């Protein structure tokens, strides 16, 4: 994950591509090979232009993302409380279009939504929702809510230490086992 997270961000590989890689893995392909091919074929994710401004107040997509995030906060607050935790520290939401600077580096629009453990922020590129519908054939509120909840899943993994355990396991493993571990981390974030 240490190598893959920055690689995904720097090469413009986003959640859609990652889903393709996960499916390919289950069909017997090597995710590292696929990512290598994507890296050599992908255009640079970051342009020379300045980062785009956040969406205007009252933007329906921004309001939707905030509502979904609020729902996840309610659910995770209850889950943490039920399991004896002091509280659930929610991620900070960053809405953007174009490119954005995070503790994980500068990310372009092609990277799509992501969670950065370095600053515990959830980065949602609202333009990605158009791509989700047009390029990946996943229209509607469910698909957008799924993306937000998946990134929140990565936040929870970071909070409870799963991300660190996976990073350590990947460092000690063969590439095949490391890739399988990464796939499991991604699938867990969907739960």
């Amino acid at each position: 994950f240490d190598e893959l997270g920055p690689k995904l961000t720097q090469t413009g590989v986003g959640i859609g591509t990652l889903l393709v890689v996960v499916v390919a893995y289950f069909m017997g392909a090597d995710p590292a090979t696929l990512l290598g091919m994507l890296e050599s074929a992908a255009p640079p994710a970051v342009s020379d232009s300045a980062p785009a401004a956040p969406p205007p107040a009252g933007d329906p997509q921004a309001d939707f993302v905030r509502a979904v995030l609020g729902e996840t906060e309610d659910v995770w607050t209850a889950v943490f409380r039920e399991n004896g935790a002091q509280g659930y520290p929610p991620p900070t939401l960053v809405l953007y279009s174009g490119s954005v600077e995070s503790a994980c580096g500068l990310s372009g629009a092609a990277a799509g939504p992501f969670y950065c453990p370095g600053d515990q922020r959830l980065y949602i590129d609202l333009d990605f929702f158009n791509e989700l519908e047009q390029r990946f054939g996943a229209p509607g509120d469910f698909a957008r809510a799924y993306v937000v909840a998946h990134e929140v899943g990565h936040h929870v993994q970071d909070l409870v230490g799963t991300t660190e355990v996976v990073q350590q396991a990947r460092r000690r493993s063969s590439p095949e086992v490391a890739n399988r571990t990464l796939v499991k981390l991604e699938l867990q974030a969907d739960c």
Side-chain angles (χ1 to χ4, degrees):
F1 197 84
D2 285 333
E3 307 86 33
L4 188 59
K7 185 181 222 183
L8 292 175
T9 301
Q10 292 168 356
T11 62
V13 177
I15 192 170
T17 305
L18 187 58
L19 291 174
V20 171
V21 170
V22 168
V23 169
Y25 169 80
F26 283 112
M27 296 179 74
D30 178 8
T33 303
L34 288 172
L35 286 172
M37 291 183 330
L38 290 169
E39 181 180 64
S40 64
V46 179
S47 70
D48 292 334
S49 62
D59 178 277
Q61 288 192 93
D63 292 344
F64 178 81
V65 169
R66 287 184 191 102
V68 171
L69 185 59
E71 290 292 322
T72 67
E73 289 172 9
D74 293 346
V75 168
W76 284 111
T77 297
V79 169
F80 272 55
R81 186 179 317 116
E82 289 168 9
N83 287 283
Q86 291 288 72
Y88 168 70
T92 301
L93 177 63
V94 178
L95 298 172
Y96 73 100
S97 290
S99 62
V100 67
E101 183 71 39
S102 74
C104 295
L106 183 63
S107 296
F114 65 98
Y115 171 72
C116 178
D119 57 16
Q120 293 191 334
R121 292 180 182 213
L122 189 75
Y123 292 87
I124 303 293
D125 179 359
L126 294 176
D127 291 338
F128 176 77
F129 292 140
N130 294 330
E131 186 176 0
L132 190 64
E133 182 173 338
Q134 295 166 2
R135 183 173 172 198
F136 298 111
D141 291 348
F142 179 81
R144 290 190 298 269
Y146 177 88
V147 167
V148 174
H150 175 86
E151 298 308 330
V152 170
H154 285 305
H155 174 64
V156 172
Q157 289 171 325
D158 184 45
L159 292 175
V160 301
T162 304
T163 304
E164 179 60 30
V165 169
V166 168
Q167 289 173 347
Q168 291 174 8
R170 291 191 76 232
R171 280 186 227 123
R172 295 187 310 263
S173 302
S174 68
E176 181 181 296
V177 172
N179 288 333
R180 241 182 295 158
T181 305
L182 179 62
V183 169
K184 289 177 183 178
L185 184 74
E186 286 300 323
L187 292 174
Q188 185 188 51
D190 290 336
C191 296

